[in-house]
Amino acid sequence: MRKDFKKLNTITLIVIWALYCISLMLPALTTATGDKFGGLNILLIGWLGIFAGMMSAASWYANPFFIYISVQTFKGKRTGISHLFMLSLAIIAFFPMVMMLNEAGDTAVVTEHNLGFYFWVSAIVLLSTLVFINWILCRNRNTGN
């Protein structure tokens, strides 16, 4: 990777991680019961939904992909098509979702996506775009264009 593009890559990753961290501090989802869930709360307990049979919780699994792809991109390594898996998992969150409210298994339908949700999606889309741009530039460099 060229030195000037590595610097741009690093700056872009900082912006992407800033968006991701902001998403953790803001309300992300509102349920039919009026409960608002913050991004950090969803990050910490969202993975449990898959064990309760809620396939809508699968979108949480975009987070490990996000971390893996960020680290690999920072190191200048290729991530293959894993960014497409991350993107498709995140897109699931736009479909009707059910959230676990407590450890007793009570659930509620998500009725509204809040600002934290959109910051999270923005970070994922931007990271996927960065990976795609890196792939294009690497491909052009290898073909001599």
Side-chain angles (χ1 to χ4, degrees):
M1 184 179 297
R2 292 189 346 235
K3 225 179 205 352
D4 57 336
F5 190 70
K6 178 132 175 87
K7 196 181 294 185
L8 183 62
N9 237 4
T10 303
I11 292 168
T12 306
L13 280 169
I14 290 169
V15 170
I16 289 168
W17 269 93
L19 288 171
Y20 187 83
C21 290
I22 290 169
S23 78
L24 297 178
M25 300 303 134
L26 295 172
L29 301 172
T30 304
T31 64
T33 60
D35 295 325
K36 287 191 183 247
F37 287 89
L40 185 60
N41 187 23
I42 293 170
L43 180 65
L44 294 176
I45 64 168
W47 63 277
L48 292 171
I50 202 91
F51 296 112
M54 291 183 275
M55 287 311 294
S56 59
S59 60
W60 180 90
Y61 289 92
N63 292 304
F65 278 104
F66 181 85
I67 294 167
Y68 167 75
I69 293 167
S70 296
V71 170
Q72 293 300 93
T73 302
F74 181 73
K75 290 180 177 180
K77 297 183 179 179
R78 293 183 181 181
T79 59
I81 61 169
S82 59
H83 69 104
L84 297 177
F85 291 118
M86 174 186 66
L87 204 53
S88 57
L89 285 169
I91 288 171
I92 293 171
F94 283 102
F95 293 100
M97 292 180 19
V98 176
M99 292 274 307
M100 275 182 60
L101 295 176
N102 55 35
E103 61 278 351
D106 296 331
T107 61
V109 175
V110 172
T111 57
E112 186 179 344
H113 295 99
N114 302 110
L115 196 56
F117 173 80
Y118 293 110
F119 272 84
W120 177 74
V121 169
S122 297
I124 287 178
V125 169
L126 286 174
L127 181 59
S128 188
T129 303
L130 180 64
V131 168
F132 183 71
I133 290 170
N134 283 338
W135 177 75
I136 293 290
L137 290 175
C138 187
R139 194 174 118 226
N140 286 343
R141 187 182 65 197
N142 290 340
T143 60
N145 291 339

